[in-house]
Amino acid sequence: MQLGQVLRASARARMVVLAAADQVVPGTPSVTAHTQAAADAAGLHTTDWAALSVLNLAGRLASGELAERTGLTTGATTRLIDRLERAGHVRRTADPADRRRVLVEPVPTLDVDTIVGPARQRLGELFQQYRPEELAVLFDYFDRAADALLTATREVRARAADRGGPPS
């Protein structure tokens, strides 16, 4: 199995890897530093850059889905969408399946490939050093780690809400 086959084998794992390359998932000092550099290059705050990266990977999402994927509260997500919309990076559209529901979709105003190209190149070179079966284990881990972190995020938010935590 070639790298391309492994990437196609799990769309979710591919999204996690690309998200890491686009610096959506902070976690290490090097990722955090690159996230800041990419956001600076785009002229955005790191939170706005992260959300825009999520939207670029997903295509379009409802605001609640964007909130869950970014780990932001619903109120913070609404303000984020307002900022990105004012800057021309996203637009709100009616959901074709449910006209009452609004979706947020990216507007291609930034040359994202130029900004994240070096990270994607370096990660691609790194992945080339692994055998297909090793890549399959890595992608399985990425899938499971993403689910575990999202579950943990929901648990932390629920506990904070139970204690009268921050408003959404």
Side-chain angles (χ1 to χ4, degrees):
M1 188 181 316
Q2 299 296 318
L3 174 62
Q5 291 171 306
V6 172
L7 289 174
R8 285 188 299 277
S10 172
R12 184 166 166 81
R14 181 173 173 268
M15 188 177 103
V16 170
V17 171
L18 289 176
D22 288 346
Q23 310 315 313
V24 173
V25 184
T28 66
S30 58
V31 171
T32 301
H34 191 272
T35 299
Q36 186 64 59
D40 291 347
L44 296 171
H45 184 275
T46 54
T47 303
D48 296 4
W49 171 255
L52 193 55
S53 295
V54 168
L55 287 167
N56 281 325
L57 289 168
R60 61 182 170 179
L61 296 169
S63 62
E65 293 168 314
L66 182 60
E68 183 171 325
R69 291 188 190 194
T70 59
L72 297 173
T73 63
T74 55
T77 301
T78 298
R79 291 185 295 277
L80 174 134
I81 294 167
D82 291 343
R83 282 193 309 275
L84 289 174
E85 188 174 44
R86 276 193 307 275
H89 297 301
V90 301
R91 70 176 148 251
R92 288 175 166 102
T93 62
D95 184 339
D98 181 353
R99 304 276 306 161
R100 297 167 295 175
R101 185 173 154 184
V102 175
L103 299 174
V104 180
E105 61 186 22
V107 175
T109 57
L110 296 171
D111 186 358
V112 174
D113 289 333
T114 297
I115 295 169
V116 299
R120 287 179 175 167
Q121 177 67 32
R122 301 291 179 265
L123 289 173
E125 290 167 2
L126 178 65
F127 287 137
Q128 291 296 326
Q129 297 174 21
Y130 290 93
R131 294 187 318 271
E133 56 275 8
E134 293 171 323
L135 287 171
V137 170
L138 286 170
F139 285 100
D140 178 63
Y141 168 79
F142 295 146
D143 262 349
R144 292 172 188 238
D147 287 340
L149 288 171
L150 286 173
T151 299
T153 300
R154 286 189 290 273
E155 290 170 0
V156 168
R157 289 210 181 282
R159 286 185 193 134
D162 288 346
R163 289 190 321 267
S168 60

